Amino acid sequence: MTTQKTGKLIASLASGVVFGLGLAISGMTNTDRVQGFLDLAGQWDPTLAFVMGSGLIVAFVGYKWVLKNPAPLFAPAFSLPTKTDIDKPLLIGAILFGVGWGLVGYCPGPVLAGLSYGYTTTLVFAPTMIVGLLVARPLAKLF
């Protein structure tokens, strides 16, 4: 394995571990916290707002710092999105994501981090999420 490939794997692993630890420490692997944030009429839990706000600050500072470089460490050039329009697939995806997130309290990052707890709901949700990810593209081509 090349040194660059090894470095890329180590950087990916480190990023995933930091992200997972952040989710676990902030309580975002707990579906009750997420659903509590969405329950404006009941016992509202503002924790998710602080986590999202912290993430935005870190991302803003990170982008400003990283984009000053001519290229990322393990790629020849930056790969930034160029599409800026809001179209039907984006809206449908956002609605499906939001409804699923509200009903279950999980999105992809926390469900993967939550697997370490061995909760039955997580062990059921993770495989069904993966199946959904695998069938989404072929289904989108049909429609």
Side-chain angles (χ1 to χ4, degrees), residues 86-104:
I86 298 173
D87 58 3
K88 189 176 172 182
L90 176 66
L91 290 174
I92 292 170
I95 290 167
L96 287 172
F97 177 87
V99 168
W101 188 44
L103 289 173
V104 183

mmCIF file with all atom_site columns, all heavy atoms in Angstrom, residues 86-104:
data_model
loop_
_atom_site.group_PDB
_atom_site.id
_atom_site.type_symbol
_atom_site.label_atom_id
_atom_site.label_alt_id
_atom_site.label_comp_id
_atom_site.label_asym_id
_atom_site.label_entity_id
_atom_site.label_seq_id
_atom_site.pdbx_PDB_ins_code
_atom_site.Cartn_x
_atom_site.Cartn_y
_atom_site.Cartn_z
_atom_site.occupancy
_atom_site.B_iso_or_equiv
_atom_site.pdbx_formal_charge
_atom_site.auth_seq_id
_atom_site.auth_comp_id
_atom_site.auth_asym_id
_atom_site.auth_atom_id
_atom_site.pdbx_PDB_model_num
ATOM 1   N N   . ILE A 1 86  ? -32.172 24.595 -6.476  1.00 0.00 ? 86  ILE A N   1
ATOM 2   C CA  . ILE A 1 86  ? -33.019 23.729 -5.657  1.00 0.00 ? 86  ILE A CA  1
ATOM 3   C C   . ILE A 1 86  ? -34.023 23.087 -6.608  1.00 0.00 ? 86  ILE A C   1
ATOM 4   O O   . ILE A 1 86  ? -34.901 23.754 -7.138  1.00 0.00 ? 86  ILE A O   1
ATOM 5   C CB  . ILE A 1 86  ? -33.727 24.543 -4.557  1.00 0.00 ? 86  ILE A CB  1
ATOM 6   C CG1 . ILE A 1 86  ? -32.679 25.153 -3.625  1.00 0.00 ? 86  ILE A CG1 1
ATOM 7   C CG2 . ILE A 1 86  ? -34.712 23.677 -3.796  1.00 0.00 ? 86  ILE A CG2 1
ATOM 8   C CD1 . ILE A 1 86  ? -33.237 26.107 -2.590  1.00 0.00 ? 86  ILE A CD1 1
ATOM 9   N N   . ASP A 1 87  ? -33.869 21.776 -6.823  1.00 0.00 ? 87  ASP A N   1
ATOM 10  C CA  . ASP A 1 87  ? -34.727 21.084 -7.780  1.00 0.00 ? 87  ASP A CA  1
ATOM 11  C C   . ASP A 1 87  ? -35.604 20.047 -7.082  1.00 0.00 ? 87  ASP A C   1
ATOM 12  O O   . ASP A 1 87  ? -35.529 19.842 -5.873  1.00 0.00 ? 87  ASP A O   1
ATOM 13  C CB  . ASP A 1 87  ? -33.887 20.452 -8.893  1.00 0.00 ? 87  ASP A CB  1
ATOM 14  C CG  . ASP A 1 87  ? -32.839 19.478 -8.373  1.00 0.00 ? 87  ASP A CG  1
ATOM 15  O OD1 . ASP A 1 87  ? -32.782 19.240 -7.157  1.00 0.00 ? 87  ASP A OD1 1
ATOM 16  O OD2 . ASP A 1 87  ? -32.077 18.947 -9.195  1.00 0.00 ? 87  ASP A OD2 1
ATOM 17  N N   . LYS A 1 88  ? -36.442 19.393 -7.864  1.00 0.00 ? 88  LYS A N   1
ATOM 18  C CA  . LYS A 1 88  ? -37.396 18.416 -7.338  1.00 0.00 ? 88  LYS A CA  1
ATOM 19  C C   . LYS A 1 88  ? -36.717 17.254 -6.596  1.00 0.00 ? 88  LYS A C   1
ATOM 20  O O   . LYS A 1 88  ? -37.129 16.922 -5.479  1.00 0.00 ? 88  LYS A O   1
ATOM 21  C CB  . LYS A 1 88  ? -38.263 17.907 -8.488  1.00 0.00 ? 88  LYS A CB  1
ATOM 22  C CG  . LYS A 1 88  ? -39.423 17.066 -8.060  1.00 0.00 ? 88  LYS A CG  1
ATOM 23  C CD  . LYS A 1 88  ? -40.278 16.707 -9.273  1.00 0.00 ? 88  LYS A CD  1
ATOM 24  C CE  . LYS A 1 88  ? -41.358 15.708 -8.935  1.00 0.00 ? 88  LYS A CE  1
ATOM 25  N NZ  . LYS A 1 88  ? -42.136 15.342 -10.126 1.00 0.00 ? 88  LYS A NZ  1
ATOM 26  N N   . PRO A 1 89  ? -35.672 16.630 -7.165  1.00 0.00 ? 89  PRO A N   1
ATOM 27  C CA  . PRO A 1 89  ? -35.015 15.543 -6.418  1.00 0.00 ? 89  PRO A CA  1
ATOM 28  C C   . PRO A 1 89  ? -34.448 15.990 -5.068  1.00 0.00 ? 89  PRO A C   1
ATOM 29  O O   . PRO A 1 89  ? -34.518 15.245 -4.088  1.00 0.00 ? 89  PRO A O   1
ATOM 30  C CB  . PRO A 1 89  ? -33.899 15.083 -7.356  1.00 0.00 ? 89  PRO A CB  1
ATOM 31  C CG  . PRO A 1 89  ? -34.359 15.468 -8.718  1.00 0.00 ? 89  PRO A CG  1
ATOM 32  C CD  . PRO A 1 89  ? -35.131 16.739 -8.525  1.00 0.00 ? 89  PRO A CD  1
ATOM 33  N N   . LEU A 1 90  ? -33.907 17.193 -5.011  1.00 0.00 ? 90  LEU A N   1
ATOM 34  C CA  . LEU A 1 90  ? -33.381 17.703 -3.744  1.00 0.00 ? 90  LEU A CA  1
ATOM 35  C C   . LEU A 1 90  ? -34.506 17.859 -2.725  1.00 0.00 ? 90  LEU A C   1
ATOM 36  O O   . LEU A 1 90  ? -34.365 17.451 -1.568  1.00 0.00 ? 90  LEU A O   1
ATOM 37  C CB  . LEU A 1 90  ? -32.657 19.036 -3.952  1.00 0.00 ? 90  LEU A CB  1
ATOM 38  C CG  . LEU A 1 90  ? -32.153 19.713 -2.674  1.00 0.00 ? 90  LEU A CG  1
ATOM 39  C CD1 . LEU A 1 90  ? -31.054 18.888 -2.029  1.00 0.00 ? 90  LEU A CD1 1
ATOM 40  C CD2 . LEU A 1 90  ? -31.662 21.113 -2.982  1.00 0.00 ? 90  LEU A CD2 1
ATOM 41  N N   . LEU A 1 91  ? -35.614 18.447 -3.138  1.00 0.00 ? 91  LEU A N   1
ATOM 42  C CA  . LEU A 1 91  ? -36.739 18.644 -2.230  1.00 0.00 ? 91  LEU A CA  1
ATOM 43  C C   . LEU A 1 91  ? -37.330 17.315 -1.764  1.00 0.00 ? 91  LEU A C   1
ATOM 44  O O   . LEU A 1 91  ? -37.619 17.140 -0.576  1.00 0.00 ? 91  LEU A O   1
ATOM 45  C CB  . LEU A 1 91  ? -37.817 19.499 -2.898  1.00 0.00 ? 91  LEU A CB  1
ATOM 46  C CG  . LEU A 1 91  ? -37.442 20.963 -3.111  1.00 0.00 ? 91  LEU A CG  1
ATOM 47  C CD1 . LEU A 1 91  ? -38.526 21.672 -3.914  1.00 0.00 ? 91  LEU A CD1 1
ATOM 48  C CD2 . LEU A 1 91  ? -37.221 21.662 -1.781  1.00 0.00 ? 91  LEU A CD2 1
ATOM 49  N N   . ILE A 1 92  ? -37.504 16.376 -2.692  1.00 0.00 ? 92  ILE A N   1
ATOM 50  C CA  . ILE A 1 92  ? -38.050 15.066 -2.321  1.00 0.00 ? 92  ILE A CA  1
ATOM 51  C C   . ILE A 1 92  ? -37.108 14.353 -1.348  1.00 0.00 ? 92  ILE A C   1
ATOM 52  O O   . ILE A 1 92  ? -37.545 13.799 -0.336  1.00 0.00 ? 92  ILE A O   1
ATOM 53  C CB  . ILE A 1 92  ? -38.312 14.203 -3.573  1.00 0.00 ? 92  ILE A CB  1
ATOM 54  C CG1 . ILE A 1 92  ? -39.468 14.802 -4.383  1.00 0.00 ? 92  ILE A CG1 1
ATOM 55  C CG2 . ILE A 1 92  ? -38.622 12.754 -3.191  1.00 0.00 ? 92  ILE A CG2 1
ATOM 56  C CD1 . ILE A 1 92  ? -39.651 14.183 -5.760  1.00 0.00 ? 92  ILE A CD1 1
ATOM 57  N N   . GLY A 1 93  ? -35.819 14.386 -1.633  1.00 0.00 ? 93  GLY A N   1
ATOM 58  C CA  . GLY A 1 93  ? -34.843 13.772 -0.734  1.00 0.00 ? 93  GLY A CA  1
ATOM 59  C C   . GLY A 1 93  ? -34.846 14.411 0.640   1.00 0.00 ? 93  GLY A C   1
ATOM 60  O O   . GLY A 1 93  ? -34.790 13.718 1.657   1.00 0.00 ? 93  GLY A O   1
ATOM 61  N N   . ALA A 1 94  ? -34.917 15.735 0.680   1.00 0.00 ? 94  ALA A N   1
ATOM 62  C CA  . ALA A 1 94  ? -34.933 16.441 1.963   1.00 0.00 ? 94  ALA A CA  1
ATOM 63  C C   . ALA A 1 94  ? -36.183 16.093 2.764   1.00 0.00 ? 94  ALA A C   1
ATOM 64  O O   . ALA A 1 94  ? -36.114 15.886 3.986   1.00 0.00 ? 94  ALA A O   1
ATOM 65  C CB  . ALA A 1 94  ? -34.853 17.943 1.731   1.00 0.00 ? 94  ALA A CB  1
ATOM 66  N N   . ILE A 1 95  ? -37.313 15.999 2.084   1.00 0.00 ? 95  ILE A N   1
ATOM 67  C CA  . ILE A 1 95  ? -38.566 15.646 2.768   1.00 0.00 ? 95  ILE A CA  1
ATOM 68  C C   . ILE A 1 95  ? -38.499 14.221 3.310   1.00 0.00 ? 95  ILE A C   1
ATOM 69  O O   . ILE A 1 95  ? -38.836 13.969 4.472   1.00 0.00 ? 95  ILE A O   1
ATOM 70  C CB  . ILE A 1 95  ? -39.775 15.834 1.824   1.00 0.00 ? 95  ILE A CB  1
ATOM 71  C CG1 . ILE A 1 95  ? -39.997 17.329 1.571   1.00 0.00 ? 95  ILE A CG1 1
ATOM 72  C CG2 . ILE A 1 95  ? -41.036 15.183 2.394   1.00 0.00 ? 95  ILE A CG2 1
ATOM 73  C CD1 . ILE A 1 95  ? -40.952 17.631 0.429   1.00 0.00 ? 95  ILE A CD1 1
ATOM 74  N N   . LEU A 1 96  ? -38.035 13.280 2.485   1.00 0.00 ? 96  LEU A N   1
ATOM 75  C CA  . LEU A 1 96  ? -37.918 11.888 2.943   1.00 0.00 ? 96  LEU A CA  1
ATOM 76  C C   . LEU A 1 96  ? -36.953 11.771 4.119   1.00 0.00 ? 96  LEU A C   1
ATOM 77  O O   . LEU A 1 96  ? -37.221 11.069 5.093   1.00 0.00 ? 96  LEU A O   1
ATOM 78  C CB  . LEU A 1 96  ? -37.464 10.983 1.797   1.00 0.00 ? 96  LEU A CB  1
ATOM 79  C CG  . LEU A 1 96  ? -38.509 10.692 0.728   1.00 0.00 ? 96  LEU A CG  1
ATOM 80  C CD1 . LEU A 1 96  ? -37.870 9.942  -0.435  1.00 0.00 ? 96  LEU A CD1 1
ATOM 81  C CD2 . LEU A 1 96  ? -39.669 9.911  1.302   1.00 0.00 ? 96  LEU A CD2 1
ATOM 82  N N   . PHE A 1 97  ? -35.820 12.457 4.017   1.00 0.00 ? 97  PHE A N   1
ATOM 83  C CA  . PHE A 1 97  ? -34.831 12.440 5.102   1.00 0.00 ? 97  PHE A CA  1
ATOM 84  C C   . PHE A 1 97  ? -35.456 13.007 6.373   1.00 0.00 ? 97  PHE A C   1
ATOM 85  O O   . PHE A 1 97  ? -35.348 12.408 7.449   1.00 0.00 ? 97  PHE A O   1
ATOM 86  C CB  . PHE A 1 97  ? -33.603 13.258 4.702   1.00 0.00 ? 97  PHE A CB  1
ATOM 87  C CG  . PHE A 1 97  ? -32.560 13.342 5.787   1.00 0.00 ? 97  PHE A CG  1
ATOM 88  C CD1 . PHE A 1 97  ? -31.596 12.356 5.907   1.00 0.00 ? 97  PHE A CD1 1
ATOM 89  C CD2 . PHE A 1 97  ? -32.547 14.398 6.678   1.00 0.00 ? 97  PHE A CD2 1
ATOM 90  C CE1 . PHE A 1 97  ? -30.631 12.426 6.903   1.00 0.00 ? 97  PHE A CE1 1
ATOM 91  C CE2 . PHE A 1 97  ? -31.599 14.484 7.674   1.00 0.00 ? 97  PHE A CE2 1
ATOM 92  C CZ  . PHE A 1 97  ? -30.634 13.489 7.789   1.00 0.00 ? 97  PHE A CZ  1
ATOM 93  N N   . GLY A 1 98  ? -36.108 14.160 6.266   1.00 0.00 ? 98  GLY A N   1
ATOM 94  C CA  . GLY A 1 98  ? -36.697 14.809 7.435   1.00 0.00 ? 98  GLY A CA  1
ATOM 95  C C   . GLY A 1 98  ? -37.790 13.988 8.086   1.00 0.00 ? 98  GLY A C   1
ATOM 96  O O   . GLY A 1 98  ? -37.850 13.879 9.318   1.00 0.00 ? 98  GLY A O   1
ATOM 97  N N   . VAL A 1 99  ? -38.658 13.389 7.274   1.00 0.00 ? 99  VAL A N   1
ATOM 98  C CA  . VAL A 1 99  ? -39.733 12.564 7.825   1.00 0.00 ? 99  VAL A CA  1
ATOM 99  C C   . VAL A 1 99  ? -39.141 11.339 8.529   1.00 0.00 ? 99  VAL A C   1
ATOM 100 O O   . VAL A 1 99  ? -39.530 11.012 9.659   1.00 0.00 ? 99  VAL A O   1
ATOM 101 C CB  . VAL A 1 99  ? -40.731 12.151 6.720   1.00 0.00 ? 99  VAL A CB  1
ATOM 102 C CG1 . VAL A 1 99  ? -41.669 11.060 7.209   1.00 0.00 ? 99  VAL A CG1 1
ATOM 103 C CG2 . VAL A 1 99  ? -41.524 13.355 6.237   1.00 0.00 ? 99  VAL A CG2 1
ATOM 104 N N   . GLY A 1 100 ? -38.202 10.678 7.877   1.00 0.00 ? 100 GLY A N   1
ATOM 105 C CA  . GLY A 1 100 ? -37.568 9.508  8.497   1.00 0.00 ? 100 GLY A CA  1
ATOM 106 C C   . GLY A 1 100 ? -36.839 9.871  9.771   1.00 0.00 ? 100 GLY A C   1
ATOM 107 O O   . GLY A 1 100 ? -36.915 9.162  10.780  1.00 0.00 ? 100 GLY A O   1
ATOM 108 N N   . TRP A 1 101 ? -36.147 10.996 9.747   1.00 0.00 ? 101 TRP A N   1
ATOM 109 C CA  . TRP A 1 101 ? -35.399 11.448 10.913  1.00 0.00 ? 101 TRP A CA  1
ATOM 110 C C   . TRP A 1 101 ? -36.349 11.759 12.064  1.00 0.00 ? 101 TRP A C   1
ATOM 111 O O   . TRP A 1 101 ? -36.105 11.399 13.210  1.00 0.00 ? 101 TRP A O   1
ATOM 112 C CB  . TRP A 1 101 ? -34.592 12.677 10.511  1.00 0.00 ? 101 TRP A CB  1
ATOM 113 C CG  . TRP A 1 101 ? -33.615 13.176 11.514  1.00 0.00 ? 101 TRP A CG  1
ATOM 114 C CD1 . TRP A 1 101 ? -32.747 12.444 12.266  1.00 0.00 ? 101 TRP A CD1 1
ATOM 115 C CD2 . TRP A 1 101 ? -33.384 14.537 11.858  1.00 0.00 ? 101 TRP A CD2 1
ATOM 116 N NE1 . TRP A 1 101 ? -31.982 13.266 13.047  1.00 0.00 ? 101 TRP A NE1 1
ATOM 117 C CE2 . TRP A 1 101 ? -32.353 14.564 12.812  1.00 0.00 ? 101 TRP A CE2 1
ATOM 118 C CE3 . TRP A 1 101 ? -33.931 15.736 11.441  1.00 0.00 ? 101 TRP A CE3 1
ATOM 119 C CZ2 . TRP A 1 101 ? -31.879 15.741 13.360  1.00 0.00 ? 101 TRP A CZ2 1
ATOM 120 C CZ3 . TRP A 1 101 ? -33.443 16.913 11.979  1.00 0.00 ? 101 TRP A CZ3 1
ATOM 121 C CH2 . TRP A 1 101 ? -32.432 16.899 12.931  1.00 0.00 ? 101 TRP A CH2 1
ATOM 122 N N   . GLY A 1 102 ? -37.460 12.421 11.748  1.00 0.00 ? 102 GLY A N   1
ATOM 123 C CA  . GLY A 1 102 ? -38.426 12.764 12.787  1.00 0.00 ? 102 GLY A CA  1
ATOM 124 C C   . GLY A 1 102 ? -39.128 11.553 13.376  1.00 0.00 ? 102 GLY A C   1
ATOM 125 O O   . GLY A 1 102 ? -39.388 11.490 14.574  1.00 0.00 ? 102 GLY A O   1
ATOM 126 N N   . LEU A 1 103 ? -39.452 10.576 12.514  1.00 0.00 ? 103 LEU A N   1
ATOM 127 C CA  . LEU A 1 103 ? -40.151 9.385  12.989  1.00 0.00 ? 103 LEU A CA  1
ATOM 128 C C   . LEU A 1 103 ? -39.260 8.481  13.830  1.00 0.00 ? 103 LEU A C   1
ATOM 129 O O   . LEU A 1 103 ? -39.684 7.942  14.851  1.00 0.00 ? 103 LEU A O   1
ATOM 130 C CB  . LEU A 1 103 ? -40.696 8.575  11.805  1.00 0.00 ? 103 LEU A CB  1
ATOM 131 C CG  . LEU A 1 103 ? -41.877 9.188  11.054  1.00 0.00 ? 103 LEU A CG  1
ATOM 132 C CD1 . LEU A 1 103 ? -42.193 8.362  9.823   1.00 0.00 ? 103 LEU A CD1 1
ATOM 133 C CD2 . LEU A 1 103 ? -43.094 9.288  11.968  1.00 0.00 ? 103 LEU A CD2 1
ATOM 134 N N   . VAL A 1 104 ? -38.025 8.295  13.385  1.00 0.00 ? 104 VAL A N   1
ATOM 135 C CA  . VAL A 1 104 ? -37.141 7.335  14.031  1.00 0.00 ? 104 VAL A CA  1
ATOM 136 C C   . VAL A 1 104 ? -36.133 8.009  14.961  1.00 0.00 ? 104 VAL A C   1
ATOM 137 O O   . VAL A 1 104 ? -35.718 7.447  15.960  1.00 0.00 ? 104 VAL A O   1
ATOM 138 C CB  . VAL A 1 104 ? -36.404 6.479  12.969  1.00 0.00 ? 104 VAL A CB  1
ATOM 139 C CG1 . VAL A 1 104 ? -35.540 5.422  13.613  1.00 0.00 ? 104 VAL A CG1 1
ATOM 140 C CG2 . VAL A 1 104 ? -37.403 5.830  12.037  1.00 0.00 ? 104 VAL A CG2 1
#
